[in-house]
Amino acid sequence: MLKKVLIANRGEIALRIVRACNELGIKTLAVYSEADEQSLHVQLADEAICIGPAAGNLSYLKADRIIAAAEIADADGIHPGYGFLAENADFAEQCGECGIKFIGPGAEAIINFGDKAKARDMAVKANVPVIPGSDGTVDNEEDAIATAKKIGFPVIIKAVAGGGGKGMRTAHNAVAFVKEYNNARNEAEKAFGNGAVYLERFLDAPRHIEIQLLGDQHGNVIHLGERDCSIQRRHQKVIEEAPSPFISDKIRKKMGEDAVKLAKSVNYEGAGTVEFLVDENGEYFFIEMNTRIQVEHGVTEEVTGVDLVKEQLLIAAGQKLSYKQEDIKITKHCIECRVCAEDPGRNFAPCPGEITLYYSPGGHGVRIDSHCYSGYTIPPYYDSMIAKVMTFGRTRELALDRMDRALGEYLIRGIKTNIPFSRAIIRDPIFREGKATTKYIEEFIERVPKDLYT
Ligand code: MV4
Protein backbone atom coordinates (compact mmCIF):
# COMPACT_ATOMS: atom_id res chain seq x y z
CA MET A 1 0.00 0.00 0.00
CA LEU A 2 1.04 3.64 -0.39
CA LYS A 3 2.32 5.18 2.87
CA LYS A 4 1.82 8.90 2.37
CA VAL A 5 -0.07 10.71 -0.37
CA LEU A 6 0.38 14.34 -1.34
CA ILE A 7 -2.91 15.90 -2.41
CA ALA A 8 -2.15 18.35 -5.22
CA ASN A 9 -5.47 20.15 -5.03
CA ARG A 10 -7.79 22.21 -2.84
CA GLY A 11 -11.49 22.51 -1.97
CA GLU A 12 -13.94 19.64 -1.72
CA ILE A 13 -11.88 17.21 -3.82
CA ALA A 14 -8.86 17.61 -1.52
CA LEU A 15 -11.14 16.67 1.41
CA ARG A 16 -12.59 13.76 -0.55
CA ILE A 17 -9.07 12.38 -1.08
CA VAL A 18 -8.10 12.91 2.60
CA ARG A 19 -11.17 10.86 3.59
CA ALA A 20 -10.34 7.96 1.26
CA CYS A 21 -6.72 7.94 2.53
CA ASN A 22 -7.89 7.95 6.15
CA GLU A 23 -10.03 4.87 5.56
CA LEU A 24 -7.08 3.08 3.95
CA GLY A 25 -4.57 4.07 6.65
CA ILE A 26 -2.56 6.25 4.26
CA LYS A 27 -0.97 9.41 5.72
CA THR A 28 -1.96 12.64 3.99
CA LEU A 29 0.07 15.68 2.99
CA ALA A 30 -1.87 18.79 1.98
CA VAL A 31 -0.34 21.55 -0.12
CA TYR A 32 -1.90 25.00 -0.10
CA SER A 33 -1.58 28.50 -1.44
CA GLU A 34 -1.35 31.60 0.76
CA ALA A 35 -5.09 32.12 0.13
CA ASP A 36 -5.97 28.68 1.53
CA GLU A 37 -4.23 28.71 4.91
CA GLN A 38 -7.62 28.49 6.67
CA SER A 39 -8.94 25.74 4.43
CA LEU A 40 -10.39 22.50 5.74
CA HIS A 41 -8.07 20.34 3.64
CA VAL A 42 -5.14 21.95 5.46
CA GLN A 43 -6.82 21.33 8.84
CA LEU A 44 -7.75 17.71 8.16
CA ALA A 45 -4.58 16.43 6.49
CA ASP A 46 -1.81 14.97 8.68
CA GLU A 47 0.69 17.53 7.37
CA ALA A 48 0.52 20.64 5.19
CA ILE A 49 3.06 22.63 3.17
CA CYS A 50 2.53 26.08 1.68
CA ILE A 51 3.56 26.07 -1.99
CA GLY A 52 3.15 29.71 -2.99
CA PRO A 53 0.97 32.77 -3.52
CA ALA A 54 -2.79 32.70 -4.10
CA ALA A 55 -2.89 32.58 -7.90
CA GLY A 56 -3.22 29.04 -9.22
CA ASN A 57 -0.34 29.41 -11.68
CA LEU A 58 1.95 30.36 -8.77
CA SER A 59 0.87 27.49 -6.48
CA TYR A 60 -1.41 24.56 -7.43
CA LEU A 61 -0.04 24.59 -10.99
CA LYS A 62 3.64 24.69 -9.94
CA ALA A 63 4.76 21.13 -10.65
CA ASP A 64 8.29 21.62 -9.30
CA ARG A 65 7.11 23.06 -5.97
CA ILE A 66 4.61 20.26 -5.49
CA ILE A 67 7.17 17.57 -6.22
CA ALA A 68 9.63 19.32 -3.89
CA ALA A 69 6.97 19.24 -1.13
CA ALA A 70 6.48 15.50 -1.74
CA GLU A 71 10.22 14.92 -1.45
CA ILE A 72 10.62 17.03 1.70
CA ALA A 73 7.79 15.19 3.48
CA ASP A 74 8.64 11.81 1.95
CA ALA A 75 5.31 11.16 0.19
CA ASP A 76 5.28 8.12 -2.09
CA GLY A 77 2.20 9.10 -4.11
CA ILE A 78 0.56 12.25 -5.52
CA HIS A 79 -3.18 12.50 -6.13
CA PRO A 80 -3.90 15.37 -8.53
CA GLY A 81 -7.71 15.48 -8.07
CA TYR A 82 -9.40 17.25 -11.01
CA GLY A 83 -8.34 20.45 -12.80
CA PHE A 84 -4.90 21.96 -12.05
CA LEU A 85 -2.27 19.27 -12.90
CA ALA A 86 -4.64 16.30 -13.23
CA GLU A 87 -4.18 15.95 -16.99
CA ASN A 88 -0.65 17.32 -17.30
CA ALA A 89 1.51 14.59 -18.84
CA ASP A 90 4.79 16.37 -17.99
CA PHE A 91 3.80 16.44 -14.32
CA ALA A 92 2.85 12.75 -14.35
CA GLU A 93 6.20 11.96 -15.97
CA GLN A 94 8.19 14.10 -13.49
CA CYS A 95 6.49 12.30 -10.58
CA GLY A 96 7.65 9.00 -12.05
CA GLU A 97 11.21 10.26 -12.54
CA CYS A 98 11.30 11.24 -8.86
CA GLY A 99 10.08 7.82 -7.76
CA ILE A 100 6.66 9.14 -6.75
CA LYS A 101 3.55 7.32 -7.95
CA PHE A 102 1.25 9.65 -9.93
CA ILE A 103 -2.26 8.46 -9.04
CA GLY A 104 -3.70 8.19 -12.51
CA PRO A 105 -2.78 6.73 -15.90
CA GLY A 106 0.70 6.90 -17.45
CA ALA A 107 1.90 10.03 -19.27
CA GLU A 108 1.34 8.35 -22.64
CA ALA A 109 -2.40 7.88 -22.04
CA ILE A 110 -2.71 11.49 -20.84
CA ILE A 111 -0.96 12.75 -24.00
CA ASN A 112 -2.96 10.57 -26.39
CA PHE A 113 -6.37 11.31 -24.91
CA GLY A 114 -5.43 14.97 -24.33
CA ASP A 115 -5.23 15.37 -28.11
CA LYS A 116 -8.91 15.08 -29.11
CA ALA A 117 -8.12 14.18 -32.72
CA LYS A 118 -5.78 11.39 -31.55
CA ALA A 119 -8.43 10.23 -29.08
CA ARG A 120 -10.95 10.03 -31.93
CA ASP A 121 -8.46 8.03 -33.94
CA MET A 122 -7.93 5.61 -31.04
CA ALA A 123 -11.71 5.12 -30.80
CA VAL A 124 -11.85 4.34 -34.54
CA LYS A 125 -9.01 1.82 -34.14
CA ALA A 126 -10.81 0.19 -31.18
CA ASN A 127 -13.98 -0.08 -33.29
CA VAL A 128 -15.92 2.36 -31.10
CA PRO A 129 -18.41 4.55 -33.05
CA VAL A 130 -17.39 8.18 -33.68
CA ILE A 131 -19.36 10.99 -35.32
CA PRO A 132 -18.68 11.18 -39.08
CA GLY A 133 -15.83 13.66 -39.45
CA SER A 134 -12.30 14.40 -40.59
CA ASP A 135 -9.54 11.84 -40.53
CA GLY A 136 -7.24 13.63 -38.07
CA THR A 137 -6.70 17.39 -38.24
CA VAL A 138 -7.57 19.74 -41.11
CA ASP A 139 -4.53 21.97 -41.49
CA ASN A 140 -5.40 24.30 -44.37
CA GLU A 141 -8.52 26.10 -45.60
CA GLU A 142 -8.73 24.15 -48.85
CA ASP A 143 -8.57 20.73 -47.23
CA ALA A 144 -10.94 21.91 -44.49
CA ILE A 145 -13.66 23.11 -46.93
CA ALA A 146 -13.43 19.96 -49.05
CA THR A 147 -13.69 17.79 -45.92
CA ALA A 148 -16.60 19.84 -44.52
CA LYS A 149 -18.52 19.44 -47.80
CA LYS A 150 -17.87 15.70 -47.76
CA ILE A 151 -19.14 15.41 -44.16
CA GLY A 152 -22.17 17.56 -44.97
CA PHE A 153 -23.42 20.65 -43.11
CA PRO A 154 -23.88 21.53 -40.33
CA VAL A 155 -20.35 20.75 -39.15
CA ILE A 156 -18.56 21.53 -35.90
CA ILE A 157 -14.92 22.63 -35.79
CA LYS A 158 -13.07 21.50 -32.66
CA ALA A 159 -9.61 22.28 -31.30
CA VAL A 160 -7.47 19.17 -30.70
CA ALA A 161 -6.32 20.77 -27.44
CA GLY A 162 -9.89 21.83 -26.65
CA GLY A 163 -12.07 21.59 -23.63
CA GLY A 164 -14.63 23.89 -22.13
CA GLY A 165 -15.88 24.88 -25.56
CA LYS A 166 -12.82 27.00 -26.40
CA GLY A 167 -11.78 26.79 -30.03
CA MET A 168 -15.13 25.23 -30.93
CA ARG A 169 -17.33 26.66 -33.72
CA THR A 170 -20.27 25.46 -35.77
CA ALA A 171 -21.01 26.23 -39.43
CA HIS A 172 -24.23 25.65 -41.38
CA ASN A 173 -22.84 26.38 -44.87
CA ALA A 174 -19.58 26.74 -46.79
CA VAL A 175 -19.40 30.55 -46.50
CA ALA A 176 -19.83 30.54 -42.73
CA PHE A 177 -17.42 27.62 -42.52
CA VAL A 178 -14.41 29.53 -43.88
CA LYS A 179 -14.90 32.27 -41.32
CA GLU A 180 -15.52 29.89 -38.40
CA TYR A 181 -12.62 27.62 -39.36
CA ASN A 182 -10.26 30.58 -39.01
CA ASN A 183 -11.99 31.79 -35.83
CA ALA A 184 -11.61 28.37 -34.23
CA ARG A 185 -7.93 28.12 -35.20
CA ASN A 186 -7.13 31.61 -33.87
CA GLU A 187 -9.00 31.06 -30.62
CA ALA A 188 -7.31 27.67 -30.09
CA GLU A 189 -3.88 29.15 -30.82
CA LYS A 190 -4.49 31.89 -28.27
CA ALA A 191 -5.97 29.63 -25.58
CA PHE A 192 -3.75 26.54 -25.93
CA GLY A 193 -0.78 27.61 -28.05
CA ASN A 194 -2.00 25.01 -30.54
CA GLY A 195 -4.29 26.03 -33.40
CA ALA A 196 -4.88 22.52 -34.78
CA VAL A 197 -8.54 21.63 -35.37
CA TYR A 198 -10.62 18.70 -36.63
CA LEU A 199 -14.16 18.40 -37.96
CA GLU A 200 -17.30 16.49 -37.07
CA ARG A 201 -20.89 16.46 -38.28
CA PHE A 202 -22.80 18.73 -35.88
CA LEU A 203 -25.51 16.98 -33.85
CA ASP A 204 -28.24 19.49 -33.07
CA ALA A 205 -29.61 18.44 -29.69
CA PRO A 206 -27.72 15.43 -28.37
CA ARG A 207 -27.47 14.13 -24.84
CA HIS A 208 -24.09 14.12 -23.14
CA ILE A 209 -23.65 10.69 -21.59
CA GLU A 210 -20.40 9.50 -20.06
CA ILE A 211 -19.25 6.07 -18.90
CA GLN A 212 -17.17 5.71 -15.72
CA LEU A 213 -14.26 3.27 -15.98
CA LEU A 214 -11.73 1.70 -13.66
CA GLY A 215 -8.65 -0.10 -14.95
CA ASP A 216 -5.88 -1.76 -12.93
CA GLN A 217 -2.20 -2.46 -13.69
CA HIS A 218 -3.05 -6.08 -14.56
CA GLY A 219 -5.17 -5.39 -17.65
CA ASN A 220 -8.57 -5.56 -15.94
CA VAL A 221 -11.07 -2.85 -16.91
CA ILE A 222 -14.66 -2.48 -15.72
CA HIS A 223 -17.36 0.13 -16.31
CA LEU A 224 -19.70 1.52 -13.67
CA GLY A 225 -22.54 2.63 -15.90
CA GLU A 226 -23.26 6.07 -17.23
CA ARG A 227 -23.89 9.60 -16.00
CA ASP A 228 -26.16 11.95 -17.88
CA CYS A 229 -24.44 15.36 -17.98
CA SER A 230 -26.66 17.08 -20.53
CA ILE A 231 -27.53 19.98 -18.20
CA GLN A 232 -24.65 22.36 -18.93
CA ARG A 233 -24.31 26.12 -19.14
CA ARG A 234 -21.47 27.45 -21.29
CA HIS A 235 -19.84 23.99 -21.19
CA GLN A 236 -19.94 23.91 -17.39
CA LYS A 237 -21.98 21.09 -15.92
CA VAL A 238 -24.74 22.20 -13.58
CA ILE A 239 -26.72 19.01 -12.87
CA GLU A 240 -25.63 15.39 -13.37
CA GLU A 241 -27.45 12.15 -12.73
CA ALA A 242 -27.22 8.39 -12.94
CA PRO A 243 -28.65 6.38 -14.48
CA SER A 244 -29.69 8.48 -17.50
CA PRO A 245 -33.48 8.67 -17.88
CA PHE A 246 -32.91 8.24 -21.63
CA ILE A 247 -30.67 5.16 -21.76
CA SER A 248 -32.11 1.64 -22.00
CA ASP A 249 -30.41 -1.36 -20.39
CA LYS A 250 -29.45 -2.54 -23.85
CA ILE A 251 -27.72 0.72 -24.85
CA ARG A 252 -26.09 0.99 -21.41
CA LYS A 253 -24.54 -2.43 -21.84
CA LYS A 254 -23.27 -1.67 -25.37
CA MET A 255 -21.87 1.75 -24.41
CA GLY A 256 -20.20 0.27 -21.36
CA GLU A 257 -18.65 -2.52 -23.39
CA ASP A 258 -17.40 -0.05 -26.01
CA ALA A 259 -15.85 2.17 -23.32
CA VAL A 260 -14.11 -0.87 -21.82
CA LYS A 261 -12.90 -1.92 -25.29
CA LEU A 262 -11.29 1.50 -25.81
CA ALA A 263 -9.60 1.48 -22.40
CA LYS A 264 -8.34 -2.09 -22.83
CA SER A 265 -6.88 -1.21 -26.25
CA VAL A 266 -4.46 1.18 -24.50
CA ASN A 267 -3.97 -0.80 -21.25
CA TYR A 268 -5.65 2.00 -19.33
CA GLU A 269 -4.80 2.36 -15.63
CA GLY A 270 -6.86 4.26 -13.06
CA ALA A 271 -10.23 6.01 -13.13
CA GLY A 272 -11.35 7.38 -16.49
CA THR A 273 -14.44 8.65 -18.21
CA VAL A 274 -15.47 8.06 -21.81
CA GLU A 275 -17.77 10.79 -23.12
CA PHE A 276 -20.39 10.09 -25.74
CA LEU A 277 -23.02 12.16 -27.51
CA VAL A 278 -26.30 10.30 -27.95
CA ASP A 279 -28.80 11.35 -30.63
CA GLU A 280 -32.62 11.20 -30.45
CA ASN A 281 -32.60 7.63 -31.81
CA GLY A 282 -30.32 6.39 -29.06
CA GLU A 283 -27.36 6.13 -31.41
CA TYR A 284 -24.17 7.03 -29.55
CA PHE A 285 -20.79 8.39 -30.63
CA PHE A 286 -17.47 8.73 -28.80
CA ILE A 287 -16.28 12.33 -28.38
CA GLU A 288 -13.58 12.44 -25.68
CA MET A 289 -11.94 10.57 -22.84
CA ASN A 290 -11.02 12.19 -19.52
CA THR A 291 -8.09 10.66 -17.71
CA ARG A 292 -8.92 11.95 -14.21
CA ILE A 293 -11.44 11.56 -11.41
CA GLN A 294 -14.28 13.90 -12.30
CA VAL A 295 -16.27 16.36 -10.22
CA GLU A 296 -19.42 14.23 -10.63
CA HIS A 297 -17.82 10.91 -9.58
CA GLY A 298 -19.97 10.80 -6.42
CA VAL A 299 -23.11 10.21 -8.48
CA THR A 300 -21.66 6.90 -9.68
CA GLU A 301 -20.48 6.07 -6.15
CA GLU A 302 -24.01 6.43 -4.79
CA VAL A 303 -25.69 4.28 -7.45
CA THR A 304 -23.06 1.50 -7.44
CA GLY A 305 -21.72 1.60 -3.87
CA VAL A 306 -18.13 1.70 -5.20
CA ASP A 307 -15.69 4.16 -3.59
CA LEU A 308 -13.93 5.43 -6.73
CA VAL A 309 -11.21 7.39 -4.93
CA LYS A 310 -10.31 4.38 -2.78
CA GLU A 311 -10.15 2.27 -5.94
CA GLN A 312 -7.79 4.85 -7.47
CA LEU A 313 -5.46 4.51 -4.48
CA LEU A 314 -5.59 0.69 -4.51
CA ILE A 315 -4.94 0.63 -8.27
CA ALA A 316 -1.96 2.99 -7.85
CA ALA A 317 -0.55 0.65 -5.20
CA GLY A 318 -0.62 -2.14 -7.79
CA GLN A 319 -3.61 -4.05 -6.43
CA LYS A 320 -6.18 -5.75 -8.60
CA LEU A 321 -9.64 -4.18 -8.98
CA SER A 322 -11.87 -5.00 -5.99
CA TYR A 323 -14.81 -5.68 -8.35
CA LYS A 324 -15.52 -7.76 -11.42
CA GLN A 325 -17.95 -6.45 -14.04
CA GLU A 326 -20.71 -8.77 -12.79
CA ASP A 327 -20.34 -7.31 -9.27
CA ILE A 328 -21.43 -3.88 -10.50
CA LYS A 329 -25.17 -3.42 -9.97
CA ILE A 330 -26.97 -0.11 -10.35
CA THR A 331 -29.63 -0.22 -7.67
CA LYS A 332 -30.36 3.46 -7.04
CA HIS A 333 -30.91 6.78 -8.75
CA CYS A 334 -28.73 9.79 -7.88
CA ILE A 335 -28.89 13.47 -8.89
CA GLU A 336 -26.17 16.05 -8.25
CA CYS A 337 -26.44 19.83 -8.24
CA ARG A 338 -23.25 21.86 -8.24
CA VAL A 339 -23.60 24.78 -5.85
CA CYS A 340 -21.57 27.73 -7.08
CA ALA A 341 -20.85 31.17 -5.64
CA GLU A 342 -22.39 33.04 -8.54
CA ASP A 343 -25.32 35.37 -9.18
CA PRO A 344 -27.96 34.02 -11.58
CA GLY A 345 -29.42 37.56 -11.67
CA ARG A 346 -26.19 39.00 -13.09
CA ASN A 347 -25.44 36.50 -15.82
CA PHE A 348 -23.94 34.04 -13.29
CA ALA A 349 -21.06 36.36 -12.37
CA PRO A 350 -18.78 34.85 -9.69
CA CYS A 351 -19.51 36.03 -6.12
CA PRO A 352 -16.46 35.42 -3.93
CA GLY A 353 -16.51 36.68 -0.35
CA GLU A 354 -17.33 35.66 3.20
CA ILE A 355 -20.01 33.06 3.86
CA THR A 356 -21.44 34.58 7.04
CA LEU A 357 -23.75 31.64 7.71
CA TYR A 358 -23.48 28.13 6.30
CA TYR A 359 -25.88 25.31 7.09
CA SER A 360 -25.97 22.40 4.65
CA PRO A 361 -28.82 19.95 4.17
CA GLY A 362 -28.82 16.41 5.52
CA GLY A 363 -31.13 13.55 6.28
CA HIS A 364 -32.01 10.38 4.43
CA GLY A 365 -30.68 10.13 0.88
CA VAL A 366 -28.52 13.27 0.93
CA ARG A 367 -24.74 13.57 0.50
CA ILE A 368 -22.93 16.90 0.58
CA ASP A 369 -19.30 17.18 -0.55
CA SER A 370 -18.07 20.63 0.43
CA HIS A 371 -15.19 22.42 2.09
CA CYS A 372 -17.30 25.37 3.28
CA TYR A 373 -18.34 26.49 6.77
CA SER A 374 -19.77 29.57 8.49
CA GLY A 375 -17.12 32.29 8.42
CA TYR A 376 -15.24 30.81 5.45
CA THR A 377 -14.17 33.31 2.79
CA ILE A 378 -14.32 32.13 -0.80
CA PRO A 379 -11.17 33.41 -2.48
CA PRO A 380 -11.57 34.98 -5.94
CA TYR A 381 -8.65 33.04 -7.44
CA TYR A 382 -10.19 29.64 -8.14
CA ASP A 383 -13.39 28.19 -9.59
CA SER A 384 -16.68 29.14 -8.00
CA MET A 385 -17.94 25.68 -6.96
CA ILE A 386 -18.55 25.54 -3.21
CA ALA A 387 -20.50 22.30 -2.76
CA LYS A 388 -21.96 19.29 -4.50
CA VAL A 389 -25.40 18.23 -3.35
CA MET A 390 -26.18 14.61 -4.19
CA THR A 391 -29.55 13.08 -3.45
CA PHE A 392 -30.47 9.49 -4.08
CA GLY A 393 -33.15 6.90 -3.66
CA ARG A 394 -34.76 3.90 -5.26
CA THR A 395 -36.37 5.92 -8.06
CA ARG A 396 -35.63 9.09 -10.03
CA GLU A 397 -38.77 10.71 -8.62
CA LEU A 398 -37.57 10.11 -5.08
CA ALA A 399 -34.09 11.48 -5.83
CA LEU A 400 -35.69 14.57 -7.42
CA ASP A 401 -38.07 15.15 -4.50
CA ARG A 402 -35.15 14.86 -2.10
CA MET A 403 -33.12 17.34 -4.16
CA ASP A 404 -35.99 19.84 -4.04
CA ARG A 405 -36.20 19.34 -0.29
CA ALA A 406 -32.42 19.53 0.23
CA LEU A 407 -31.95 22.70 -1.85
CA GLY A 408 -34.78 24.28 0.14
CA GLU A 409 -32.92 23.50 3.37
CA TYR A 410 -29.63 25.09 2.37
CA LEU A 411 -28.72 28.24 4.29
CA ILE A 412 -25.91 30.24 2.72
CA ARG A 413 -25.69 33.91 3.73
CA GLY A 414 -23.23 36.61 2.71
CA ILE A 415 -22.86 35.57 -0.92
CA LYS A 416 -25.16 34.76 -3.84
CA THR A 417 -25.40 31.20 -5.12
CA ASN A 418 -27.00 29.39 -8.04
CA ILE A 419 -29.23 27.34 -5.68
CA PRO A 420 -32.49 29.03 -6.82
CA PHE A 421 -31.55 28.34 -10.46
CA SER A 422 -30.89 24.63 -9.83
CA ARG A 423 -34.09 24.34 -7.81
CA ALA A 424 -36.12 25.86 -10.65
CA ILE A 425 -34.67 23.25 -13.02
CA ILE A 426 -35.43 20.40 -10.57
CA ARG A 427 -39.04 21.63 -10.49
CA ASP A 428 -39.32 22.12 -14.25
CA PRO A 429 -41.72 19.60 -15.88
CA ILE A 430 -39.49 19.15 -18.96
CA PHE A 431 -36.52 18.18 -16.78
CA ARG A 432 -38.78 16.01 -14.60
CA GLU A 433 -39.91 14.10 -17.68
CA GLY A 434 -36.27 13.28 -18.49
CA LYS A 435 -36.43 15.15 -21.80
CA ALA A 436 -33.43 17.48 -21.35
CA THR A 437 -30.72 17.61 -24.02
CA THR A 438 -27.57 19.73 -24.19
CA LYS A 439 -29.75 22.60 -25.48
CA TYR A 440 -31.91 22.57 -22.34
CA ILE A 441 -30.37 25.39 -20.27
CA GLU A 442 -30.26 27.88 -23.13
CA GLU A 443 -33.95 27.22 -23.80
CA PHE A 444 -34.76 27.28 -20.08
CA ILE A 445 -33.27 30.76 -19.71
CA GLU A 446 -35.36 32.01 -22.67
CA ARG A 447 -38.54 30.30 -21.48
CA VAL A 448 -38.53 30.85 -17.71
CA PRO A 449 -38.92 34.33 -16.14
CA LYS A 450 -35.78 35.43 -14.30
CA ASP A 451 -37.56 36.11 -11.00
CA LEU A 452 -38.26 32.37 -10.74
CA TYR A 453 -34.57 31.76 -10.01
CA THR A 454 -32.96 34.98 -8.75
C1 MV4 B 1 -20.55 18.37 -30.25
C2 MV4 B 1 -21.89 18.85 -30.33
C3 MV4 B 1 -22.61 18.52 -31.44
N1 MV4 B 1 -22.07 17.78 -32.42
N2 MV4 B 1 -20.07 17.63 -31.25
C4 MV4 B 1 -19.31 20.67 -26.25
C5 MV4 B 1 -18.11 20.47 -25.36
C6 MV4 B 1 -17.32 19.39 -25.97
N3 MV4 B 1 -16.93 18.46 -24.96
C7 MV4 B 1 -18.20 18.76 -27.01
N4 MV4 B 1 -19.33 19.61 -27.19
C8 MV4 B 1 -20.22 19.40 -28.18
N5 MV4 B 1 -19.77 18.63 -29.18
C9 MV4 B 1 -20.82 17.35 -32.31
N6 MV4 B 1 -20.29 16.63 -33.29
C10 MV4 B 1 -22.37 19.62 -29.28
C11 MV4 B 1 -21.55 19.91 -28.20
C12 MV4 B 1 -22.14 20.73 -27.20
C13 MV4 B 1 -22.42 20.27 -25.92
C14 MV4 B 1 -22.08 18.99 -25.51
C15 MV4 B 1 -22.37 18.54 -24.27
C16 MV4 B 1 -23.00 19.39 -23.36
C17 MV4 B 1 -23.34 20.68 -23.71
C18 MV4 B 1 -23.05 21.13 -24.99
C19 MV4 B 1 -23.41 22.42 -25.34
C20 MV4 B 1 -23.12 22.87 -26.59
C21 MV4 B 1 -22.48 22.04 -27.52
Side-chain angles (χ1 to χ4, degrees):
M1 202 50 222
L2 295 164
K3 289 192 174 64
K4 189 190 285 186
V5 164
L6 180 151
I7 298 153
N9 216 302
R10 63 181 303 281
E12 67 84 21
I13 192 63
L15 281 181
R16 173 72 189 81
I17 298 162
V18 168
R19 289 172 173 145
C21 288
N22 283 345
E23 288 186 20
L24 289 170
I26 300 169
K27 290 265 176 268
T28 54
L29 167 62
V31 293
Y32 62 97
S33 74
E34 285 167 9
D36 280 342
E37 225 178 300
Q38 300 303 315
S39 289
L40 270 181
H41 79 283
V42 175
Q43 305 292 317
L44 290 191
D46 297 307
E47 295 170 73
I49 296 179
C50 182
I51 49 167
N57 61 337
L58 300 176
S59 51
Y60 298 104
L61 285 167
K62 279 267 185 214
D64 52 347
R65 286 177 173 232
I66 290 167
I67 291 172
E71 294 198 312
I72 289 165
D74 207 19
D76 54 357
I78 295 184
H79 196 310
Y82 52 69
F84 296 124
L85 297 168
E87 284 160 297
N88 185 314
D90 291 336
F91 179 64
E93 189 139 306
Q94 284 166 35
C95 289
E97 283 164 2
C98 296
I100 301 162
K101 175 65 188 165
F102 175 83
I103 298 163
E108 199 185 52
I110 299 175
I111 291 168
N112 286 332
F113 287 118
D115 179 321
K116 313 293 179 208
K118 263 192 207 156
R120 187 178 143 86
D121 189 48
M122 287 194 287
V124 171
K125 290 206 167 86
N127 233 332
V128 173
V130 298
I131 304 169
S134 60
D135 196 357
T137 57
V138 282
D139 301 323
N140 64 72
E141 227 178 73
E142 226 179 319
D143 177 26
I145 299 167
T147 309
K149 284 181 176 163
K150 212 155 70 195
I151 295 165
F153 292 105
V155 298
I156 186 164
I157 306 146
K158 293 181 173 180
V160 299
K166 278 229 178 73
M168 199 168 81
R169 287 287 199 284
T170 56
H172 290 258
N173 56 63
V175 175
F177 178 82
V178 175
K179 194 177 112 207
E180 297 300 352
Y181 170 76
N182 291 299
N183 280 343
R185 285 194 76 94
N186 290 335
E187 192 175 295
E189 181 63 47
K190 247 175 101 180
F192 313 114
N194 177 5
V197 298
Y198 63 105
L199 307 180
E200 281 174 358
R201 181 79 202 261
F202 177 68
L203 306 181
D204 182 50
R207 282 169 179 80
H208 173 125
I209 312 274
E210 55 187 34
I211 301 281
Q212 176 68 54
L213 294 177
L214 286 172
D216 66 19
Q217 296 177 19
H218 311 278
N220 305 301
V221 181
I222 61 168
H223 74 84
L224 296 101
E226 83 284 10
R227 293 183 290 261
D228 192 324
C229 303
S230 299
I231 310 294
Q232 304 189 15
R233 189 188 153 272
R234 306 238 168 118
H235 306 295
Q236 288 281 78
K237 292 168 187 167
V238 179
I239 299 177
E240 305 100 340
E241 66 177 301
S244 167
F246 186 70
I247 297 293
S248 66
D249 286 345
K250 197 172 138 201
I251 297 175
R252 173 173 305 110
K253 186 159 182 285
K254 268 186 67 197
M255 280 178 92
E257 285 168 0
D258 275 349
V260 167
K261 215 163 55 175
L262 175 59
K264 279 195 171 163
S265 76
V266 297
N267 265 313
Y268 191 80
E269 177 201 331
T273 302
V274 181
E275 298 186 355
F276 294 95
L277 294 181
V278 184
D279 71 14
E280 65 278 11
N281 306 315
E283 208 176 333
Y284 63 86
F285 308 93
F286 169 88
I287 50 167
E288 290 175 23
M289 171 144 177
N290 301 316
T291 57
R292 59 172 190 277
I293 192 79
Q294 291 190 241
V295 173
E296 61 272 26
H297 72 278
V299 169
T300 299
E301 293 184 322
E302 295 311 323
V303 302
T304 60
V306 175
D307 184 324
L308 290 169
V309 179
K310 255 193 201 173
E311 287 302 308
Q312 285 189 295
L313 293 160
L314 294 171
I315 290 163
Q319 301 197 24
K320 288 191 173 154
L321 291 180
S322 314
Y323 302 86
K324 298 210 174 344
Q325 188 64 56
E326 58 267 28
D327 299 331
I328 303 301
K329 295 259 164 16
I330 293 148
T331 58
K332 276 191 282 185
H333 199 97
C334 181
I335 317 251
E336 171 172 277
C337 291
R338 297 189 186 190
V339 177
C340 299
E342 58 186 29
D343 184 354
R346 289 191 306 125
N347 198 26
F348 299 88
C351 292
E354 193 192 353
I355 304 178
T356 53
L357 176 71
Y358 182 85
Y359 172 82
S360 61
H364 196 194
V366 178
R367 165 175 167 185
I368 310 288
D369 280 17
S370 174
H371 60 294
C372 292
Y373 51 85
S374 291
Y376 175 73
T377 297
I378 302 157
Y381 309 100
Y382 316 107
D383 76 29
S384 68
M385 194 179 75
I386 55 176
K388 304 186 300 199
V389 184
M390 288 160 263
T391 61
F392 40 89
R394 207 172 54 79
T395 64
R396 184 170 189 263
E397 286 61 43
L398 186 49
L400 284 166
D401 289 344
R402 283 196 174 131
M403 182 58 80
D404 190 15
R405 185 269 286 176
L407 293 178
E409 239 172 76
Y410 232 128
L411 290 180
I412 300 178
R413 297 277 145 75
I415 55 152
K416 293 259 187 199
T417 77
N418 66 339
I419 289 173
F421 183 68
S422 294
R423 199 166 186 214
I425 293 173
I426 294 298
R427 291 177 165 196
D428 178 36
I430 296 175
F431 179 73
R432 279 249 163 197
E433 284 164 33
K435 293 217 169 83
T437 70
T438 52
K439 287 202 353 198
Y440 173 84
I441 285 208
E442 224 177 309
E443 291 169 350
F444 178 91
I445 287 172
E446 280 180 25
R447 169 167 61 87
V448 174
K450 235 182 174 181
D451 54 308
L452 247 120
Y453 58 82
T454 52

